[in-house]
Amino acid sequence: LTSPSGSVLDDVMPVVFTVRTAHQAGTWPDDENGVAKMFDLLELGLRSGVEVLDVESAWDPVRTDAILSMAEDRYSSLILGSHHKVPDEVSMEKAVGYFRHCHLSGRAHGAKVVLSIDDEENDTMADDAGKIAQSLCRAEGKPVVPNISLILGEIGQYSRIINERFTPVTHESLPSVAAPGQLSAKQILQQKLDCGHLEPCKYAILGHNIAYSLSPVMHNAAFKTTQLPHDYGRADYETVEEFVNSDLWNDPSFGGCSVTIPHKQSMMRYVDRLSDSAKAIGAVNTVIVQLEKDFDGSMRRVVVGDNTDWRGIYNPLDRRLGSAAAGDGEKNGIALILGAGGAARAAA
């Protein structure tokens, strides 16, 4: 989706365009004529500007190459290579092979493999196979793409709980599920909490004299509504140095903070990494704590400083004014910025 100025709107719901054939647990005809029409529909998806195009990896390599080349040359859609194995269980070696095949020779941006199992003890098979495939690619110096790892049926529901992205879900208000074993987002989140896959994190707004801030109320209401186990409070400190020496900053469960006056510029020297926008603006309004794998395989904490103020200023203007907001209009306008802090730097 684009704004009037032609820039991509990244705050909208992405469209995943899928044509699932009968051979791949779907209903679309998979005879020669049906497959030809499927590729015609995939081309239609590209022309429609979908964010993600699902390309089954099991079909004619010539047609597959043509649709991938078209996507690379003329369109911005991300490619999801996919394979569904039904109804028989396969070996781990074959499952890993499916993931690698879904990489589409390094041309896919993600790999989705859906397996079938006979024994509930194998309910992590898809996730394990995906991680093995990633390890092999890493060892070979090949691109490592994110996985969607699922197992069909109620016997495979745990795979939907541990899958990290693009998990197909149903909703409590729907009369039936689209696929056996499908769960709602609410059910998946509850199971993540019950199984200990989602650890509670502590967040806060950092500033000084910020008793007026409604951020804790808004964020905690959002956490409650989405059933997330996190907590968002206030961190009122006169200096950033005091904050980074506090129990909250050094707590293993600290997940990050919002930054407001007067600390947006001072925070920059206390983070491990700055985003491009924070560097360009010279101020940080968001701190994100990430866990990254170190050289020895251990996990280390990395504190990232970002700035999202510019989005809150630019996006509304872009939608309202279009190209004029980007400075591409015929008239050169004048804008007055009242302020001298981090938000004013973002506006400038």
Side-chain angles (χ1 to χ4, degrees), residues 157 160-161 168-171 177 181-185 187-188 191:
Q157 284 186 333
R160 299 176 183 272
I161 296 166
V169 296
T170 185
H171 192 273
V177 297
Q182 205 169 67
L183 300 169
S184 68
Q187 289 173 311
I188 290 175
Q191 288 295 322

Side-chain angles (χ1 to χ4, degrees), residues 79-149:
I79 300 299
L80 176 65
S82 67
H83 188 86
H84 291 59
K85 178 58 182 175
V86 292
D88 301 319
E89 183 174 327
V90 298
S91 66
M92 179 62 77
E93 183 180 2
K94 280 193 173 182
V96 172
Y98 290 147
F99 272 101
R100 303 204 69 179
H101 194 51
C102 286
H103 293 171
L104 301 174
S105 301
R107 302 169 78 180
H109 301 92
K112 177 185 178 182
V113 173
V114 182
L115 301 175
S116 303
I117 59 172
D118 301 321
D119 190 336
E120 191 173 352
E121 291 187 358
N122 295 330
D123 58 4
T124 65
M125 183 180 186
D127 185 64
D128 294 340
K131 290 177 179 176
I132 292 172
Q134 288 178 324
S135 296
L136 291 172
C137 288
R138 192 175 292 111
E140 297 168 4
K142 295 180 178 179
V144 178
V145 301
N147 294 326
I148 301 173
S149 313

Side-chain angles (χ1 to χ4, degrees), residues 68-85:
L68 295 178
S69 296
M70 184 180 299
E72 292 162 354
D73 294 341
R74 298 166 54 188
Y75 300 98
S76 60
S77 300
L78 299 180
I79 300 299
L80 176 65
S82 67
H83 188 86
H84 291 59
K85 178 58 182 175

